[in-house]
């Protein structure tokens, strides 16, 4: 079972990747570095929290787990 800190670090590392992607897409669509950065910064906070909560919820769901030997 993952610790809370491990789930949090996993969430942050994934969000760095996702935020870079979002900022690049936002820059291409809007043409504005300032707007792309604002979108990326907002997205990193909200999606990090959602990912953490999603991971913790799935730890409570036994579906697909094998019993410990």
């Amino acid at each position: 079972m993952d610790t809370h800190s491990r789930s949090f670090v996993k969430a942050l590392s994934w969000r760095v990747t996702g935020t870079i992607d979002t900022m690049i897409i936002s820059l291409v669509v809007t043409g504005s570095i300032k707007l792309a950065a604002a979108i990326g910064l907002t997205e990193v906070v909200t999606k990090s929290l959602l990912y953490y909560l999603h991971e913790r919820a799935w730890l409570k769901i036994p579906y697909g787990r094998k019993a410990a030997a």
Side-chain angles (χ1 to χ4, degrees):
M1 179 182 210
D2 283 356
T3 63
H4 288 276
S5 62
R6 178 177 166 84
S7 293
F8 184 74
V9 170
K10 284 171 61 179
L12 287 179
S13 67
W14 176 244
R15 283 314 331 139
V16 167
T17 303
T19 299
I20 290 169
D21 178 56
T22 297
M23 290 174 73
I24 290 169
I25 292 168
S26 298
L27 178 59
V28 169
V29 170
T30 68
S32 167
I33 292 175
K34 188 174 181 179
L35 186 55
I39 292 168
L41 291 174
T42 302
E43 180 252 10
V44 76
V45 172
T46 59
K47 288 188 179 175
S48 292
L49 178 60
L50 289 171
Y51 179 82
Y52 173 81
L53 294 172
H54 181 263
E55 281 283 303
R56 298 311 299 178
W58 267 99
L59 287 174
K60 297 175 190 262
I61 299 169
Y63 174 77
R65 287 191 183 156
K66 293 182 180 181

